[in-house]
Amino acid sequence: MAVTNAFAKPPSTHPHFRCIIMALSMRTCILLVLAGVLYSADAFAPPCRALISRQNALSQPIAVAVEPNTDDEISDVDSPSPEDYIVNVGDLEGEDEEDGIEDDGEPPAWYASQQRVEELRIQHRRHDKDTGSPEYQVAGMTERISYLTKHLKVHPKDFSTRRGLVALVNKRRRLLNYLAREDEERYASLVSSLGIRHKAPSKVDNKAEKYGRFPPQKAVKKHLQ
């Protein structure tokens, strides 16, 4: 009966086994090195002639023969006829002219009002370079007030224009009050020529005019009388 040696060395630590493993590993390393050298040589090798000729053929432009078109214009089947257009190109010419004349032969309302403002200012100015006298300002404001009043009759819900109209009327009233205090003759001639309804302020204010800007007092209760 054989007796096993408990202290015997395992086969992996045997000297002959180590030599075999080392030989195999050296052989494997050599093969790997040779394979890497061959692969790198193929990578840096010049491409073959067939591949070069194929690349040159793809890089060359392709010539396409185009037949000349004898017609001057290409007819489009889907293009509408000129009668189908809402507005033609020639219909829009001549509308925005500098003189403000429309197609019907009459100037627009805003253009006529502007011309009227310039005429009234020239008529009531004190001298040729006058641009700030009360007569000059009131003449322009009067025509502007008349134009805005007509505009509000057509557009009664234009509240921003109504607010500007009220401010313009108040400014004209203050200028007329100033002119009435400074020169009554010019004030009377200006009001009569422009047809303005204005009451000149009196030198002495009555009770209604003096206290009219204040809110009225509350009524006294009967049991307190």
Side-chain angles (χ1 to χ4, degrees):
M1 184 176 181
V3 180
T4 57
N5 188 4
F7 296 98
K9 294 181 180 181
S12 60
T13 58
H14 199 276
H16 296 287
F17 188 76
R18 289 181 179 179
C19 293
I20 294 171
I21 292 175
M22 290 177 65
L24 292 174
S25 63
M26 291 178 65
R27 186 177 180 182
T28 305
C29 291
I30 292 171
L31 291 175
L32 292 175
V33 170
L34 291 175
V37 171
L38 293 175
Y39 180 76
S40 62
D42 293 338
F44 290 100
C48 60
R49 294 182 178 179
L51 183 61
I52 293 174
S53 61
R54 184 179 178 183
Q55 291 179 356
N56 293 333
L58 292 175
S59 62
Q60 292 179 357
I62 301 173
V64 179
V66 179
E67 297 181 357
N69 189 11
T70 57
D71 298 334
D72 296 337
E73 296 181 357
I74 299 175
S75 61
D76 191 0
V77 179
D78 297 334
S79 61
S81 60
E83 291 79 7
D84 295 338
Y85 290 102
I86 298 175
V87 179
N88 295 325
V89 178
D91 297 340
L92 299 177
E93 297 178 357
E95 291 186 359
D96 298 330
E97 298 180 357
E98 296 181 357
D99 56 354
I101 303 299
E102 294 182 350
D103 294 339
D104 55 356
E106 296 181 359
W110 61 267
Y111 182 78
S113 176
Q114 189 66 26
Q115 295 295 325
R116 180 63 177 167
V117 167
E118 295 296 332
E119 293 176 1
L120 291 176
R121 286 176 176 176
I122 293 173
Q123 181 180 354
H124 294 91
R125 64 185 179 181
R126 296 182 180 181
H127 49 82
D128 296 339
K129 296 182 179 181
D130 181 17
T131 57
S133 63
E135 296 90 334
Y136 183 90
Q137 297 184 51
V138 169
M141 289 179 185
T142 302
E143 177 58 32
R144 185 63 180 168
I145 289 170
S146 176
Y147 174 75
L148 294 178
T149 303
K150 296 177 182 178
H151 172 79
L152 287 174
K153 290 180 180 179
V154 181
H155 307 282
K157 292 188 178 181
D158 192 354
F159 299 106
S160 60
T161 302
R162 186 181 301 275
R163 184 170 179 266
L165 176 61
V166 172
L168 198 62
V169 170
N170 292 332
K171 186 175 181 180
R172 187 185 67 173
R173 177 177 50 81
R174 291 193 298 269
L175 287 172
L176 290 174
N177 292 340
Y178 169 79
L179 185 61
R181 291 194 304 267
E182 295 295 326
D183 194 342
E184 293 183 0
E185 294 180 0
R186 289 183 177 177
Y187 163 77
S189 62
L190 180 64
V191 170
S192 61
S193 61
L194 295 176
I196 302 173
R197 294 179 297 176
H198 180 263
K199 182 180 179 182
S202 60
K203 297 181 179 179
V204 179
D205 297 336
N206 54 16
K207 185 177 181 180
E209 295 175 352
K210 187 175 182 180
Y211 300 103
R213 62 180 184 273
F214 300 105
Q217 296 182 356
K218 296 181 180 179
V220 181
K221 296 182 180 179
K222 295 181 178 181
H223 66 280
L224 297 178
Q225 292 180 353

